[in-house]
């Protein structure tokens, strides 16, 4: 636990140094209101886990925080502030694909948090994996709705002018695929118990949260 806490603190320090450089680079190029808000969001997003811990009375899960910070770093400071979308091909699609994994893990967390008794049982394999997949799909839809709302300000995050509905549909499809892979991992994970249980990366994230905040409920 202490090693993970130090790793998280190191990740957070790197995140803020990188973000500060990205904010300066972006705002010197174009100090528009949109970019100012984007930089502010980049600095604020790592605080989300702390707020959740306080509001929901949760114990810290440092592995999840590291993954969350790494994803936000790739999605906002690198992609938006430094312009990574422009020089890394398909970076937007890669991020949406990865978001499918992360939201699917969140779906697994929600499923077992709401389940009476919170036990990990083989009988849950189908329902839990389906719920996990549907949760990722829902997140993709809600994100595109949010981008549509943002587009009313004059920005074009959905690239409607260039692609019509193509970009929106591709984003939802790759997120759905990421969620489906995690759902399959969830199904395989719940098929066995003890040492026979297959724990991939996504289920390892789920287990870290489960140990700290669900099993103790």
């Amino acid at each position: 636990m202490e090693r993970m806490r130090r790793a998280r603190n190191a990740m957070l320090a790197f995140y803020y140094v990188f973000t500060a450089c990205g904010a300066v680079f972006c705002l010197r190029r174009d100090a528009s209101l949109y970019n100012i808000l984007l930089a502010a969001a980049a600095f604020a997003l790592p605080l989300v886990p702390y707020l959740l811990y306080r509001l929901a009375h949760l114990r810290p899960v440092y592995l999840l925080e590291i993954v969350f910070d790494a994803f936000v770093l790739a999605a906002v400071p690198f992609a938006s502030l430094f312009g990574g979308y422009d020089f890394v091909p398909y970076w937007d699609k890669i991020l949406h694909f990865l978001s499918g994994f992360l939201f699917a893990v969140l779906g697994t967390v929600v499923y077992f948090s709401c389940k009476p008794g919170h036990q990990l049982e083989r009988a849950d394999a189908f329902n839990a994996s389906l719920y996990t997949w549907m949760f990722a799909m829902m997140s993709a839809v809600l994100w595109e709705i949010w981008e549509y709302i943002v587009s009313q300000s004059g920005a074009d995050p959905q690239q409607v002018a260039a692609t019509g509905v193509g970009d929106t549909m591709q984003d939802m499809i790759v997120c759905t695929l990421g969620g489906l892979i995690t759902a399959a991992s969830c199904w395989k994970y719940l098929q066995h118990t003890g040492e026979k249980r297959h724990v991939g990366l996504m289920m390892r994230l789920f287990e870290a949260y489960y140990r700290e905040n669900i099993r103790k409920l």
Side-chain angles (χ1 to χ4, degrees):
M1 177 67 74
E2 180 60 24
R3 184 175 66 179
M4 290 302 299
R5 187 184 68 82
R6 291 198 299 268
R8 202 278 170 166
N9 288 340
M11 177 65 196
L12 197 60
F14 174 78
Y15 177 95
Y16 277 118
V17 170
F18 189 89
T19 300
C21 294
V24 171
F25 176 83
C26 179
L27 295 178
R28 288 188 64 181
R29 183 179 55 184
D30 178 15
S32 65
L33 177 61
Y34 178 78
N35 284 340
I36 292 172
L37 293 175
L38 197 63
F43 281 104
L45 281 169
L47 300 177
V48 170
Y50 293 107
L51 294 176
L52 290 177
Y53 294 155
R54 295 295 297 273
L55 293 174
H57 306 289
L58 300 173
R59 291 170 58 87
V61 184
Y62 297 119
L63 178 60
L64 276 172
E65 291 183 53
I66 291 170
V67 172
F68 176 78
D69 290 342
F71 179 78
V72 173
L73 181 73
V76 186
F78 173 73
S80 297
L81 298 182
F82 273 114
Y85 289 127
D86 297 327
F87 55 85
V88 179
Y90 304 109
W91 189 245
D92 178 57
K93 301 301 172 278
I94 292 170
L95 291 175
H96 280 280
F97 181 65
L98 294 177
S99 74
F101 287 97
L102 298 178
F103 279 113
V105 171
L106 179 58
T108 311
V109 165
V110 172
Y111 180 90
F112 284 101
S113 295
C114 296
K115 178 193 172 184
H118 315 294
Q119 296 299 311
L120 303 178
E121 298 174 315
R122 186 175 183 178
D124 290 303
F126 178 78
N127 287 340
S129 57
L130 180 62
Y131 185 92
T132 290
W133 188 29
M134 295 298 103
F135 197 95
M137 293 175 68
M138 178 193 70
S139 72
V141 172
L142 291 177
W143 179 256
E144 294 304 322
I145 291 173
W146 164 250
E147 286 196 339
Y148 174 77
I149 293 172
V150 172
S151 71
Q152 303 309 301
S153 68
D156 189 15
Q158 295 176 299
Q159 301 184 41
V160 174
T163 68
V165 298
D167 183 71
T168 296
M169 293 304 302
Q170 290 166 16
D171 289 349
M172 290 193 291
I173 289 169
V174 295
C175 182
T176 297
L177 289 175
L180 179 60
I181 293 171
T182 303
S185 180
C186 176
W187 184 86
K188 188 175 182 179
Y189 171 81
L190 291 169
Q191 288 296 305
H192 302 284
T193 59
E195 294 181 358
K196 294 183 178 180
R197 174 164 281 162
H198 177 78
V199 185
L201 173 59
M202 294 301 104
M203 290 301 102
R204 192 173 302 280
L205 294 176
F206 165 73
E207 273 198 345
Y209 184 90
Y210 181 85
R211 285 195 305 267
E212 295 297 329
N213 293 296
I214 298 180
R215 191 167 58 185
K216 299 176 184 297
L217 295 177

